[in-house]
Amino acid sequence: MKILITGASGFIGSFIVEEALKRGFETWAAMRKSSSRQFLQDERIHFIELNLSSKEQLVEQLRGQNFDYVVHAAGVTKCLNKADFRRINTEGTKNLVDALLELEMPLKRFVFVSSLSVFGAIKEKMPYDEIRETDTPQPNTEYGRSKLAAEQYLDTLTSRVPIIILRPTGVYGPKEKDYFLMAKSIKQHTDFAVGYQRQDITFVYVTDVVQAIFLALEKGESGRKYFLSDGEVYQSTTFSDLIHEELGRPWWIRVTAPVWVLRVITFFGEYIGRMTGKVTALNNDKYNILRQRNWRCDIEPARCELGFEPKVKLKEGVKTTIKWYMDNGWL
Protein backbone atom coordinates (compact mmCIF):
# COMPACT_ATOMS: atom_id res chain seq x y z
CA MET A 1 0.00 0.00 0.00
CA LYS A 2 1.24 3.45 -0.92
CA ILE A 3 0.64 6.45 1.34
CA LEU A 4 1.26 10.18 0.85
CA ILE A 5 1.72 12.30 3.99
CA THR A 6 1.73 16.08 3.68
CA GLY A 7 3.36 18.17 6.37
CA ALA A 8 5.69 15.23 6.91
CA SER A 9 8.49 17.36 8.37
CA GLY A 10 6.17 18.83 11.01
CA PHE A 11 5.52 17.72 14.56
CA ILE A 12 2.54 15.42 13.88
CA GLY A 13 3.62 14.59 10.35
CA SER A 14 6.92 13.03 11.38
CA PHE A 15 5.08 10.68 13.77
CA ILE A 16 2.65 9.70 10.99
CA VAL A 17 5.60 8.84 8.74
CA GLU A 18 7.16 6.73 11.49
CA GLU A 19 3.94 4.76 12.01
CA ALA A 20 3.40 4.26 8.28
CA LEU A 21 6.86 2.73 7.99
CA LYS A 22 6.19 0.43 10.96
CA ARG A 23 3.05 -0.79 9.22
CA GLY A 24 4.91 -1.56 6.01
CA PHE A 25 3.45 1.19 3.82
CA GLU A 26 5.41 2.53 0.89
CA THR A 27 5.73 5.92 2.54
CA TRP A 28 5.96 9.20 0.65
CA ALA A 29 6.75 12.33 2.63
CA ALA A 30 5.53 15.53 0.99
CA MET A 31 7.36 18.68 2.00
CA ARG A 32 8.77 21.98 0.82
CA LYS A 33 12.33 22.13 -0.48
CA SER A 34 13.27 24.33 2.48
CA SER A 35 11.80 21.99 5.11
CA SER A 36 14.09 20.21 7.54
CA ARG A 37 14.56 16.44 7.30
CA GLN A 38 15.91 16.24 10.84
CA PHE A 39 13.21 13.81 11.98
CA LEU A 40 12.92 11.98 8.65
CA GLN A 41 16.15 10.03 8.52
CA ASP A 42 14.82 6.55 7.70
CA GLU A 43 16.21 5.45 4.33
CA ARG A 44 12.87 3.85 3.41
CA ILE A 45 11.16 7.24 3.13
CA HIS A 46 10.40 8.51 -0.36
CA PHE A 47 10.42 12.30 -0.60
CA ILE A 48 8.26 14.37 -2.90
CA GLU A 49 8.19 18.15 -3.20
CA LEU A 50 4.67 19.53 -3.44
CA ASN A 51 3.63 23.14 -3.97
CA LEU A 52 0.25 23.35 -2.26
CA SER A 53 -0.23 26.93 -3.43
CA SER A 54 -0.73 25.85 -7.06
CA LYS A 55 -3.15 23.19 -8.27
CA GLU A 56 -1.55 23.19 -11.70
CA GLN A 57 1.89 22.55 -10.28
CA LEU A 58 0.53 19.87 -7.96
CA VAL A 59 -0.95 18.05 -10.95
CA GLU A 60 2.47 17.94 -12.59
CA GLN A 61 4.25 16.95 -9.38
CA LEU A 62 1.79 14.14 -8.68
CA ARG A 63 1.44 12.91 -12.25
CA GLY A 64 2.44 9.27 -12.62
CA GLN A 65 1.86 8.51 -8.94
CA ASN A 66 -0.92 6.31 -7.63
CA PHE A 67 -1.47 6.62 -3.91
CA ASP A 68 -3.85 4.38 -2.01
CA TYR A 69 -4.07 6.76 0.93
CA VAL A 70 -3.43 10.44 1.60
CA VAL A 71 -3.06 12.03 5.04
CA HIS A 72 -3.18 15.80 4.77
CA ALA A 73 -1.43 17.11 7.88
CA ALA A 74 0.21 20.16 6.32
CA GLY A 75 -0.81 23.56 7.62
CA VAL A 76 0.12 26.50 9.80
CA THR A 77 -1.01 27.37 13.32
CA LYS A 78 0.40 30.90 13.41
CA CYS A 79 1.14 33.47 10.71
CA LEU A 80 2.28 37.07 10.42
CA ASN A 81 -0.50 37.89 7.97
CA LYS A 82 -4.09 36.75 8.42
CA ALA A 83 -4.43 35.99 4.73
CA ASP A 84 -1.73 33.32 5.01
CA PHE A 85 -4.00 31.12 7.14
CA ARG A 86 -6.53 31.01 4.32
CA ARG A 87 -3.88 30.64 1.62
CA ILE A 88 -2.11 27.73 3.30
CA ASN A 89 -4.76 25.91 5.35
CA THR A 90 -7.79 26.43 3.12
CA GLU A 91 -6.52 26.98 -0.41
CA GLY A 92 -3.69 24.49 0.06
CA THR A 93 -6.21 21.79 0.99
CA LYS A 94 -8.46 22.72 -1.91
CA ASN A 95 -5.57 22.65 -4.39
CA LEU A 96 -4.39 19.24 -3.19
CA VAL A 97 -7.75 17.49 -3.40
CA ASP A 98 -8.57 19.18 -6.72
CA ALA A 99 -5.27 17.95 -8.17
CA LEU A 100 -5.98 14.41 -6.95
CA LEU A 101 -9.41 14.55 -8.59
CA GLU A 102 -8.05 15.87 -11.87
CA LEU A 103 -5.56 13.02 -11.95
CA GLU A 104 -8.36 10.57 -11.10
CA MET A 105 -6.27 9.16 -8.29
CA PRO A 106 -7.97 5.93 -7.09
CA LEU A 107 -7.81 6.78 -3.39
CA LYS A 108 -9.11 4.38 -0.80
CA ARG A 109 -9.25 7.16 1.83
CA PHE A 110 -8.20 10.79 2.35
CA VAL A 111 -7.75 11.88 5.98
CA PHE A 112 -7.70 15.59 6.80
CA VAL A 113 -6.19 16.69 10.11
CA SER A 114 -8.34 19.60 11.22
CA SER A 115 -8.77 20.98 14.75
CA LEU A 116 -11.18 21.41 17.65
CA SER A 117 -10.53 25.13 17.09
CA VAL A 118 -13.09 25.14 14.28
CA PHE A 119 -15.74 25.39 17.02
CA GLY A 120 -14.33 28.36 18.90
CA ALA A 121 -15.64 29.53 22.27
CA ILE A 122 -19.03 27.85 22.45
CA LYS A 123 -20.69 26.38 25.55
CA GLU A 124 -18.74 28.76 27.78
CA LYS A 125 -21.37 29.01 30.51
CA MET A 126 -20.83 26.82 33.55
CA PRO A 127 -21.42 23.98 34.06
CA TYR A 128 -19.51 23.33 30.86
CA ASP A 129 -20.89 20.78 28.42
CA GLU A 130 -18.98 18.82 25.80
CA ILE A 131 -18.67 20.21 22.30
CA ARG A 132 -20.39 17.75 19.98
CA GLU A 133 -20.40 17.25 16.23
CA THR A 134 -24.02 18.44 16.10
CA ASP A 135 -23.00 21.86 17.45
CA THR A 136 -22.56 24.78 15.07
CA PRO A 137 -18.92 25.81 14.58
CA GLN A 138 -18.17 29.40 15.56
CA PRO A 139 -14.41 29.77 15.14
CA ASN A 140 -12.92 32.77 16.90
CA THR A 141 -9.43 32.59 15.42
CA GLU A 142 -8.06 32.96 11.91
CA TYR A 143 -6.60 29.48 12.28
CA GLY A 144 -9.99 28.01 13.19
CA ARG A 145 -11.75 29.84 10.39
CA SER A 146 -9.22 28.61 7.83
CA LYS A 147 -9.58 25.00 8.99
CA LEU A 148 -13.37 25.23 8.95
CA ALA A 149 -13.34 26.63 5.41
CA ALA A 150 -11.17 23.69 4.34
CA GLU A 151 -13.62 21.27 6.00
CA GLN A 152 -16.55 22.90 4.25
CA TYR A 153 -14.90 22.51 0.86
CA LEU A 154 -14.11 18.87 1.55
CA ASP A 155 -17.75 18.34 2.53
CA THR A 156 -18.73 19.05 -1.08
CA LEU A 157 -16.53 16.23 -2.36
CA THR A 158 -17.35 13.28 -0.11
CA SER A 159 -19.34 11.56 -2.85
CA ARG A 160 -16.25 11.64 -5.10
CA VAL A 161 -13.44 11.12 -2.60
CA PRO A 162 -13.66 9.05 0.62
CA ILE A 163 -12.80 11.85 3.07
CA ILE A 164 -12.56 11.55 6.86
CA ILE A 165 -11.89 14.59 9.05
CA LEU A 166 -10.20 14.45 12.47
CA ARG A 167 -10.48 17.31 14.97
CA PRO A 168 -7.88 16.86 17.70
CA THR A 169 -7.78 19.09 20.74
CA GLY A 170 -4.39 20.37 21.97
CA VAL A 171 -1.76 17.95 20.66
CA TYR A 172 1.47 17.61 22.63
CA GLY A 173 4.48 15.31 22.72
CA PRO A 174 8.17 15.17 21.79
CA LYS A 175 9.23 17.72 19.15
CA GLU A 176 6.19 19.98 19.80
CA LYS A 177 7.29 23.62 20.04
CA ASP A 178 4.39 25.66 21.49
CA TYR A 179 3.81 23.71 24.71
CA PHE A 180 7.60 23.53 24.93
CA LEU A 181 7.59 27.28 25.59
CA MET A 182 5.59 26.61 28.77
CA ALA A 183 8.15 24.05 29.91
CA LYS A 184 10.97 26.49 29.15
CA SER A 185 9.24 29.23 31.14
CA ILE A 186 8.69 26.94 34.12
CA LYS A 187 12.34 25.88 34.06
CA GLN A 188 13.13 29.59 34.18
CA HIS A 189 10.91 29.82 37.30
CA THR A 190 7.75 31.43 35.92
CA ASP A 191 4.30 30.01 35.14
CA PHE A 192 1.79 32.34 33.54
CA ALA A 193 -1.97 31.72 33.54
CA VAL A 194 -4.84 33.86 32.27
CA GLY A 195 -8.30 34.52 33.66
CA TYR A 196 -9.93 33.73 36.98
CA GLN A 197 -12.92 31.73 35.72
CA ARG A 198 -12.43 27.98 35.75
CA GLN A 199 -10.89 26.65 32.54
CA ASP A 200 -11.52 23.06 31.44
CA ILE A 201 -8.79 21.87 29.09
CA THR A 202 -8.37 18.71 27.04
CA PHE A 203 -5.22 17.22 25.55
CA VAL A 204 -4.24 14.39 23.26
CA TYR A 205 -0.80 12.82 22.97
CA VAL A 206 0.65 12.80 19.49
CA THR A 207 0.78 9.00 19.13
CA ASP A 208 -2.93 8.79 19.95
CA VAL A 209 -3.63 11.21 17.10
CA VAL A 210 -1.58 8.95 14.85
CA GLN A 211 -3.54 5.94 16.12
CA ALA A 212 -6.78 7.67 15.10
CA ILE A 213 -5.39 8.54 11.68
CA PHE A 214 -4.63 4.93 10.85
CA LEU A 215 -7.96 3.74 12.23
CA ALA A 216 -9.63 6.29 9.94
CA LEU A 217 -7.58 5.02 7.00
CA GLU A 218 -8.68 1.49 7.81
CA LYS A 219 -12.37 1.90 8.54
CA GLY A 220 -13.45 5.56 8.35
CA GLU A 221 -16.62 6.35 6.38
CA SER A 222 -16.58 9.22 3.92
CA GLY A 223 -18.00 12.43 5.34
CA ARG A 224 -17.47 11.56 9.01
CA LYS A 225 -15.76 13.92 11.45
CA TYR A 226 -14.28 12.96 14.80
CA PHE A 227 -13.05 14.81 17.87
CA LEU A 228 -9.89 13.48 19.49
CA SER A 229 -8.72 13.86 23.09
CA ASP A 230 -7.38 11.51 25.76
CA GLY A 231 -10.90 11.24 27.16
CA GLU A 232 -10.16 13.26 30.28
CA VAL A 233 -10.79 16.87 31.32
CA TYR A 234 -8.14 18.85 33.16
CA GLN A 235 -7.94 22.18 34.94
CA SER A 236 -5.80 24.97 33.54
CA THR A 237 -3.02 24.42 36.09
CA THR A 238 -2.73 20.65 35.69
CA PHE A 239 -0.40 20.72 32.69
CA SER A 240 2.03 23.19 34.26
CA ASP A 241 1.93 21.28 37.58
CA LEU A 242 2.98 18.09 35.80
CA ILE A 243 5.74 19.89 33.90
CA HIS A 244 6.98 21.40 37.16
CA GLU A 245 7.09 17.94 38.73
CA GLU A 246 9.02 16.39 35.83
CA LEU A 247 11.54 19.25 35.89
CA GLY A 248 12.37 18.40 39.50
CA ARG A 249 10.18 21.05 41.10
CA PRO A 250 12.37 24.17 40.60
CA TRP A 251 11.28 27.24 42.57
CA TRP A 252 8.72 29.18 40.61
CA ILE A 253 6.31 32.07 40.62
CA ARG A 254 2.82 31.38 39.30
CA VAL A 255 1.25 34.53 37.90
CA THR A 256 -2.48 34.56 37.14
CA ALA A 257 -3.40 37.67 35.21
CA PRO A 258 -6.78 39.04 34.15
CA VAL A 259 -7.75 38.54 30.52
CA TRP A 260 -7.17 42.21 29.66
CA VAL A 261 -3.48 41.82 30.49
CA LEU A 262 -3.24 39.01 27.95
CA ARG A 263 -4.97 41.27 25.43
CA VAL A 264 -2.25 43.90 25.92
CA ILE A 265 0.56 41.34 25.69
CA THR A 266 -0.72 39.71 22.52
CA PHE A 267 -1.46 43.10 20.92
CA PHE A 268 2.17 44.12 21.32
CA GLY A 269 3.36 40.62 20.45
CA GLU A 270 1.50 40.83 17.15
CA TYR A 271 2.88 44.33 16.52
CA ILE A 272 6.46 43.30 17.26
CA GLY A 273 6.07 40.24 15.04
CA ARG A 274 5.01 42.41 12.14
CA MET A 275 7.87 44.82 12.75
CA THR A 276 10.53 42.10 12.97
CA GLY A 277 9.04 39.72 10.42
CA LYS A 278 9.15 36.89 12.96
CA VAL A 279 6.09 34.88 13.92
CA THR A 280 5.46 34.98 17.66
CA ALA A 281 3.41 32.58 19.79
CA LEU A 282 1.85 35.58 21.57
CA ASN A 283 -0.45 36.91 18.87
CA ASN A 284 -4.11 37.81 18.42
CA ASP A 285 -5.10 34.22 17.64
CA LYS A 286 -3.35 33.04 20.79
CA TYR A 287 -5.34 35.56 22.82
CA ASN A 288 -8.63 33.97 21.77
CA ILE A 289 -7.27 30.49 22.39
CA LEU A 290 -5.97 31.24 25.88
CA ARG A 291 -9.06 33.09 27.05
CA GLN A 292 -11.37 30.25 25.96
CA ARG A 293 -12.70 28.46 29.03
CA ASN A 294 -14.21 25.25 27.66
CA TRP A 295 -12.25 22.72 25.61
CA ARG A 296 -14.36 19.67 26.44
CA CYS A 297 -15.22 17.52 23.42
CA ASP A 298 -17.12 14.30 22.76
CA ILE A 299 -14.88 11.48 21.54
CA GLU A 300 -17.50 8.71 21.79
CA PRO A 301 -18.14 8.64 18.01
CA ALA A 302 -14.42 8.03 17.42
CA ARG A 303 -14.49 5.28 20.02
CA CYS A 304 -17.62 3.61 18.68
CA GLU A 305 -17.04 3.95 14.94
CA LEU A 306 -13.25 3.81 14.64
CA GLY A 307 -12.32 1.82 17.71
CA PHE A 308 -10.22 4.73 18.94
CA GLU A 309 -9.03 4.31 22.51
CA PRO A 310 -6.52 6.84 23.90
CA LYS A 311 -3.53 5.06 25.36
CA VAL A 312 -1.57 7.96 26.87
CA LYS A 313 -2.99 10.07 29.69
CA LEU A 314 -1.56 13.46 30.52
CA LYS A 315 0.74 12.46 33.40
CA GLU A 316 2.49 9.77 31.35
CA GLY A 317 2.57 11.96 28.23
CA VAL A 318 4.14 14.92 30.02
CA LYS A 319 6.74 12.63 31.60
CA THR A 320 7.75 11.24 28.19
CA THR A 321 7.71 14.67 26.55
CA ILE A 322 9.83 16.44 29.17
CA LYS A 323 12.33 13.58 29.12
CA TRP A 324 12.61 13.96 25.33
CA TYR A 325 13.14 17.72 25.62
CA MET A 326 15.88 17.16 28.19
CA ASP A 327 17.55 14.26 26.37
CA ASN A 328 17.66 16.28 23.14
CA GLY A 329 19.00 19.45 24.70
CA TRP A 330 15.84 21.53 24.40
CA LEU A 331 15.70 22.03 28.17
Side-chain angles (χ1 to χ4, degrees), residues 177-189:
K177 295 180 179 179
D178 285 346
Y179 288 121
F180 161 71
L181 295 177
M182 182 185 293
K184 184 177 179 182
S185 177
I186 291 171
K187 186 178 181 182
Q188 295 172 346
H189 313 296

Side-chain angles (χ1 to χ4, degrees), residues 16-34:
I16 302 171
V17 169
E18 183 179 324
E19 183 63 22
L21 291 171
K22 286 180 182 176
R23 291 171 179 249
F25 283 89
E26 181 181 327
T27 304
W28 288 71
M31 52 200 298
R32 299 185 303 272
K33 185 180 293 186
S34 59

Side-chain angles (χ1 to χ4, degrees), residues 126-182:
M126 295 180 65
Y128 302 136
D129 191 14
E130 290 180 325
I131 299 169
R132 305 177 190 279
E133 62 180 310
T134 53
D135 291 320
T136 301
Q138 299 176 39
N140 57 351
T141 62
E142 294 301 325
Y143 170 69
R145 283 187 277 271
S146 68
K147 284 288 192 178
L148 178 60
E151 284 192 16
Q152 290 169 335
Y153 183 72
L154 293 175
D155 286 342
T156 69
L157 302 174
T158 53
S159 63
R160 302 174 63 191
V161 186
I163 296 171
I164 301 95
I165 294 173
L166 302 179
R167 295 163 164 168
T169 184
V171 186
Y172 71 103
K175 301 182 277 190
E176 199 280 330
K177 295 180 179 179
D178 285 346
Y179 288 121
F180 161 71
L181 295 177
M182 182 185 293

Side-chain angles (χ1 to χ4, degrees), residues 78-177:
K78 50 185 179 288
C79 295
L80 282 175
N81 300 307
K82 291 180 180 180
D84 287 340
F85 283 107
R86 183 90 183 190
R87 178 178 61 82
I88 298 170
N89 293 343
T90 308
E91 296 303 318
T93 302
K94 181 178 184 296
N95 289 335
L96 175 62
V97 74
D98 284 353
L100 294 170
L101 284 169
E102 183 169 324
L103 290 166
E104 299 182 342
M105 195 82 68
L107 292 178
K108 290 181 171 63
R109 286 184 179 89
F110 179 104
V111 171
F112 176 56
V113 181
S114 186
S115 170
L116 177 58
S117 289
V118 302
F119 280 84
I122 66 172
K123 298 187 174 181
E124 291 280 275
K125 292 182 179 180
M126 295 180 65
Y128 302 136
D129 191 14
E130 290 180 325
I131 299 169
R132 305 177 190 279
E133 62 180 310
T134 53
D135 291 320
T136 301
Q138 299 176 39
N140 57 351
T141 62
E142 294 301 325
Y143 170 69
R145 283 187 277 271
S146 68
K147 284 288 192 178
L148 178 60
E151 284 192 16
Q152 290 169 335
Y153 183 72
L154 293 175
D155 286 342
T156 69
L157 302 174
T158 53
S159 63
R160 302 174 63 191
V161 186
I163 296 171
I164 301 95
I165 294 173
L166 302 179
R167 295 163 164 168
T169 184
V171 186
Y172 71 103
K175 301 182 277 190
E176 199 280 330
K177 295 180 179 179

Side-chain angles (χ1 to χ4, degrees), residues 34-288:
S34 59
S35 297
S36 170
R37 298 188 182 186
Q38 179 183 1
F39 302 117
L40 300 172
Q41 297 294 317
D42 196 299
E43 61 183 12
R44 293 171 294 172
I45 300 171
H46 302 271
F47 292 96
I48 181 170
E49 183 182 346
L50 295 182
N51 179 12
L52 295 174
S53 65
S54 168
K55 188 199 84 171
E56 291 72 22
Q57 195 166 346
L58 281 169
V59 169
E60 293 309 311
Q61 291 169 327
L62 290 167
R63 193 180 299 279
Q65 300 283 357
N66 277 303
F67 294 106
D68 298 289
Y69 302 102
V70 172
V71 179
H72 183 38
V76 289
T77 58
K78 50 185 179 288
C79 295
L80 282 175
N81 300 307
K82 291 180 180 180
D84 287 340
F85 283 107
R86 183 90 183 190
R87 178 178 61 82
I88 298 170
N89 293 343
T90 308
E91 296 303 318
T93 302
K94 181 178 184 296
N95 289 335
L96 175 62
V97 74
D98 284 353
L100 294 170
L101 284 169
E102 183 169 324
L103 290 166
E104 299 182 342
M105 195 82 68
L107 292 178
K108 290 181 171 63
R109 286 184 179 89
F110 179 104
V111 171
F112 176 56
V113 181
S114 186
S115 170
L116 177 58
S117 289
V118 302
F119 280 84
I122 66 172
K123 298 187 174 181
E124 291 280 275
K125 292 182 179 180
M126 295 180 65
Y128 302 136
D129 191 14
E130 290 180 325
I131 299 169
R132 305 177 190 279
E133 62 180 310
T134 53
D135 291 320
T136 301
Q138 299 176 39
N140 57 351
T141 62
E142 294 301 325
Y143 170 69
R145 283 187 277 271
S146 68
K147 284 288 192 178
L148 178 60
E151 284 192 16
Q152 290 169 335
Y153 183 72
L154 293 175
D155 286 342
T156 69
L157 302 174
T158 53
S159 63
R160 302 174 63 191
V161 186
I163 296 171
I164 301 95
I165 294 173
L166 302 179
R167 295 163 164 168
T169 184
V171 186
Y172 71 103
K175 301 182 277 190
E176 199 280 330
K177 295 180 179 179
D178 285 346
Y179 288 121
F180 161 71
L181 295 177
M182 182 185 293
K184 184 177 179 182
S185 177
I186 291 171
K187 186 178 181 182
Q188 295 172 346
H189 313 296
T190 303
D191 180 41
F192 183 76
V194 177
Y196 301 113
Q197 182 180 333
R198 193 184 90 190
Q199 186 178 40
D200 286 0
I201 301 180
T202 51
F203 296 94
V204 61
Y205 192 68
V206 62
T207 56
D208 280 329
V209 175
V210 173
Q211 174 205 158
I213 287 169
F214 282 89
L215 286 169
L217 290 175
E218 178 185 349
K219 60 180 71 171
E221 292 187 11
S222 187
R224 296 295 291 120
K225 302 171 185 178
Y226 302 99
F227 295 115
L228 303 177
S229 79
D230 70 0
E232 303 291 337
V233 178
Y234 304 94
Q235 299 307 300
S236 56
T237 56
T238 308
F239 194 66
S240 55
D241 284 344
L242 289 171
I243 292 173
H244 185 240
E245 181 180 334
E246 293 304 323
L247 288 174
R249 298 183 180 277
W251 68 265
W252 64 342
I253 298 173
R254 172 171 277 162
V255 179
T256 302
V259 172
W260 68 263
V261 172
L262 176 66
R263 173 72 281 182
V264 173
I265 292 172
T266 55
F267 174 83
F268 283 105
E270 182 102 359
Y271 178 77
I272 292 169
R274 291 180 184 278
M275 292 294 292
T276 61
K278 296 180 180 180
V279 180
T280 173
L282 292 173
N283 52 46
N284 290 331
D285 257 25
K286 194 68 170 180
Y287 166 71
N288 287 312

